[in-house]
């Protein structure tokens, strides 16, 4: 992980949910049963470390927030890619509301990614030949309800990238930290019940980490969504219900 190291206090989420809100939040529970990526199986056997995820039974409740922490090479990105449906090289089972994801067809995953699951990839996966605005609008093209440009620019202003959207320059001309904030904004503009964040602040300074964290927290709370962030163990100004070690 490159970039500035941050030292923020780890916060626990206050237990203030009402019963009605809890029912709404639990509409997409994730269950992991004896999950293990095939590429990590031999490494885990020869160098066993107590994991709270791999080869365990683990439940993630929608509307709650989780940090996944581990050293490099322990499978943080792999876990998020499994949950996003972009990797199938694993043993064990993953359930979304008691439905095994192994049974999902490509069109099922397409619907989930449009309506239920958002992600910020570690490598961002922006279209570098498109403008910042077009990168965001491309993601929201099939979203419903569609965000208006006023909302997009308001959130961009909070992330201090409004000028990038107005510049009409291709995203490939921006710094990695600027692109990282564009990717965060893109993920927040579509509806989701889970937001997957793969080391999303690696190239941001402390002020921009704070700004991005505030926006993520506010957007997830407004949508009744939860987030799962993978990191090397830095403490970011986000509220977590649980910290899990791989």
């Amino acid at each position: 992980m490159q970039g500035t190291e941050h030292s923020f206090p780890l916060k626990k989420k206050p237990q203030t949910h009402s019963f009605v809100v809890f029912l709404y939040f639990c509409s997409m529970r994730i269950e992991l049963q004896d999950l293990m990526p095939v590429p990590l199986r031999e490494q885990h056997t020869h160098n066993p470390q107590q994991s709270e995820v791999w080869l365990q039974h683990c439940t993630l409740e929608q509307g709650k927030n989780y940090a996944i922490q581990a050293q490099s090479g322990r499978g943080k990105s792999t876990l998020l890619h499994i949950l996003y449906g972009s990797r199938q090289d694993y043993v064990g089972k993953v359930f979304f509301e008691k439905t095994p994801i192994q049974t999902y067809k490509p069109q099922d995953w397409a619907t989930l990614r449009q309506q239920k699951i958002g992600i910020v990839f570690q490598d961002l996966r922006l279209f570098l030949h498109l403008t910042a605005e077009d990168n965001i609008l491309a993601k929201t093209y099939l979203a419903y309800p569609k965000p208006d440009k006023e909302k997009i620019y308001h959130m961009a202003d909070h992330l201090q990238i409004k000028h990038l959207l107005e510049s009409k320059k291709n995203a490939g001309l921006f710094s990695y930290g600027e692109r990282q904030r564009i990717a965060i904004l893109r993920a927040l503009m579509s509806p989701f019940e889970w937001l997957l964040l793969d080391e999303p602040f690696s190239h941001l300074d402390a002020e921009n980490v704070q700004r991005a964290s505030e926006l993520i927290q506010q957007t997830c709370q407004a949508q009744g969504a939860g987030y799962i962030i993978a990191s090397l163990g830095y403490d970011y100004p986000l509220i977590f219900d649980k910290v899990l070690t791989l």
Side-chain angles (χ1 to χ4, degrees):
M1 180 177 181
Q2 300 179 10
T4 305
E5 293 190 8
H6 311 293
S7 179
F8 295 104
L10 187 66
K11 301 178 183 178
K12 288 289 185 178
K13 190 174 183 179
Q15 303 298 314
T16 58
H17 302 313
S18 69
F19 181 68
V20 173
V21 174
F22 179 77
L23 287 176
Y24 175 72
F25 279 179
C26 286
S27 61
M28 190 173 165
R29 178 187 292 110
I30 298 174
E31 296 180 69
L32 313 176
Q33 294 185 5
D34 300 316
L35 182 66
M36 172 59 69
V38 171
L40 296 178
R41 186 163 47 182
E42 183 175 352
Q43 171 188 319
H44 187 81
T45 300
H46 293 292
N47 185 26
Q49 297 182 23
Q50 185 60 40
S51 171
E52 296 176 279
V53 177
W54 301 141
L55 300 178
Q56 305 293 326
H57 284 210
C58 180
T59 300
L60 308 177
E61 302 284 0
Q62 187 201 326
K64 294 190 176 182
N65 307 320
Y66 300 86
I68 306 295
Q69 296 184 352
Q71 299 174 348
S72 298
R74 297 293 296 176
K76 299 183 298 299
S77 296
T78 300
L79 174 61
L80 297 189
H81 290 181
I82 289 172
L83 297 180
Y84 197 64
S86 56
R87 290 193 66 155
Q88 292 79 38
D89 53 339
Y90 60 88
V91 296
K93 294 183 178 180
V94 180
F95 297 87
F96 289 170
E97 268 309 295
K98 300 183 179 180
T99 301
I101 66 173
Q102 293 91 333
T103 65
Y104 288 166
K105 298 177 180 179
Q107 58 265 36
D108 298 323
W109 281 112
T111 300
L112 280 170
R113 293 166 187 159
Q114 291 167 14
Q115 302 176 4
K116 302 286 188 179
I117 305 175
I119 190 170
V120 177
F121 291 102
Q122 187 175 11
D123 59 2
L124 308 184
R125 304 194 185 182
L126 296 179
F127 299 104
L128 299 183
H129 63 288
L130 297 181
T131 67
E133 182 179 284
D134 285 343
N135 267 280
I136 294 165
L137 294 178
K139 170 63 176 172
T140 62
Y141 180 74
L142 297 176
Y144 182 83
K146 294 186 180 300
D148 56 46
K149 284 194 176 183
E150 183 178 354
K151 180 180 178 182
I152 293 173
Y153 275 78
H154 176 75
M155 295 174 76
D157 189 47
H158 184 82
L159 293 175
Q160 297 185 324
I161 56 171
K162 182 179 177 181
H163 64 289
L164 301 183
L165 273 66
E166 295 173 335
S167 73
K168 305 305 180 183
K169 294 180 180 179
N170 291 346
L173 299 175
F174 303 140
S175 71
Y176 200 90
E178 290 172 331
R179 282 184 251 161
Q180 204 160 37
R181 282 175 282 166
I182 293 169
I184 291 170
L185 178 57
R186 179 181 63 178
L188 294 177
M189 294 314 304
S190 297
F192 58 83
E193 295 181 7
W194 282 105
L195 181 62
L196 311 179
L197 302 161
D198 193 356
E199 298 190 33
F201 309 137
S202 61
H203 287 68
L204 301 186
D205 58 37
E207 179 186 353
N208 281 307
V209 169
Q210 181 69 43
R211 287 177 170 274
S213 297
E214 290 172 352
L215 195 59
I216 289 168
Q217 197 85 48
Q218 292 167 6
T219 305
C220 288
Q221 288 178 348
Q223 297 186 187
Y227 52 78
I228 304 171
I229 182 170
S231 79
L232 291 169
Y234 300 113
D235 292 338
Y236 294 123
L238 288 165
I239 298 173
F240 298 106
D241 292 282
K242 193 169 185 178
V243 178
L244 298 169
T245 303
L246 287 185

